[in-house]
Amino acid sequence: MNENLFASFITPTMMGLPIVVLIIMFPSILFPSATRLINNRLVSIQQWLIRLTTKQMMTIHNKKGQTWTLMLTSLIMFIGSTNLLGLLPHSFTPTTQLSMNLGMAIPLWAGTVILGFRHKAKASLAHFLPQGTPLPLIPMLIIIETISLFIQPMALAVRLTANITAGHLLIHLIGGATLALMNISMTTAFITFIILVLLTVLEFAVALIQAYVFTLLVSLYLHDNA
């Protein structure tokens, strides 16, 4: 319990050099590629999940929006695999870093906004001023809608960072409490351990759900602008 509570969120280094780039690239190695005419079960399940997720996200888009299919599919696979690998003991989760999540959210959000102003300028500008707005409220509404537009990438990044970080902190705290209670009461320690197991299962679900939510919101921003 002497370990710093936030030690697992510190960027790891090797010989004084940060190795976060290697950690970010590592999940892509774990996805098997289809090299045979008849795939094995792992590849078949992977392709089925990708098709199912892609179908749910991209059916609402027109042809212009569907050109983002590969990017959004790669995004959800990257975030999901990174979140799951971060649940392993003594591992590092890049998605707990707000800077990295902003680095994903801002370019994707900016791409959807630029696409909207380029192809649907009138519709994009119409979002800033709802129809039928009273004349005295027009300046205030324009300011509010502008702020809400620029908050979108921040909300994307903070949501992902907060959910992943909170889950890791809870696992760390309950794990430490379980070890401490073993010297006091084995019954209480066992109950705490059951809670820890259930929380770990919940975190596996949260890791995948947050990847889906992040990608789905980017897809919805794209739908509003494409």
Side-chain angles (χ1 to χ4, degrees), residues 122-180:
K122 291 183 179 179
S124 298
L125 291 174
H127 288 298
F128 292 95
L129 188 63
Q131 189 175 4
T133 304
L135 189 62
L137 296 179
I138 289 179
M140 184 181 298
L141 276 179
I142 291 178
I143 294 173
I144 293 173
E145 291 297 329
T146 304
I147 294 174
S148 67
L149 177 66
F150 283 97
I151 281 178
Q152 287 177 353
M154 180 65 72
L156 274 177
V158 170
R159 182 186 294 107
L160 179 59
T161 304
N163 281 281
I164 302 302
T165 303
H168 287 205
L169 288 176
L170 276 175
I171 291 176
H172 183 86
L173 290 172
I174 296 178
T178 304
L179 291 175

Side-chain angles (χ1 to χ4, degrees), residues 81-109:
S81 59
T82 304
N83 291 346
L84 289 176
L85 288 174
L87 293 174
L88 296 175
H90 304 288
S91 61
F92 172 73
T93 313
T95 47
T96 58
Q97 306 296 313
L98 182 61
S99 57
M100 175 181 166
N101 295 335
L102 283 173
M104 292 190 296
I106 291 177
L108 292 169
W109 166 83

Side-chain angles (χ1 to χ4, degrees), residues 145-213:
E145 291 297 329
T146 304
I147 294 174
S148 67
L149 177 66
F150 283 97
I151 281 178
Q152 287 177 353
M154 180 65 72
L156 274 177
V158 170
R159 182 186 294 107
L160 179 59
T161 304
N163 281 281
I164 302 302
T165 303
H168 287 205
L169 288 176
L170 276 175
I171 291 176
H172 183 86
L173 290 172
I174 296 178
T178 304
L179 291 175
L181 288 171
M182 287 178 65
N183 299 324
I184 302 173
S185 172
M186 287 300 297
T187 304
T188 309
F190 180 74
I191 295 173
T192 311
F193 177 74
I194 296 298
I195 296 175
L196 178 62
V197 172
L198 294 176
L199 180 62
T200 304
V201 174
L202 177 64
E203 279 305 305
F204 273 95
V206 169
L208 297 176
I209 290 171
Q210 288 303 315
Y212 179 75
V213 168

Side-chain angles (χ1 to χ4, degrees), residues 44-59:
S44 299
I45 293 174
Q46 173 187 313
Q47 292 179 344
W48 175 75
L49 287 173
I50 291 174
R51 284 197 299 268
L52 179 64
T53 307
T54 304
K55 182 179 179 181
Q56 288 183 349
M57 287 192 303
M58 305 309 296
T59 49

Side-chain angles (χ1 to χ4, degrees), residues 11-25 92:
T11 304
T13 58
M14 181 180 295
M15 300 177 63
L17 298 175
I19 57 173
V20 66
V21 176
L22 297 178
I23 297 174
I24 292 174
M25 294 173 60
F92 172 73

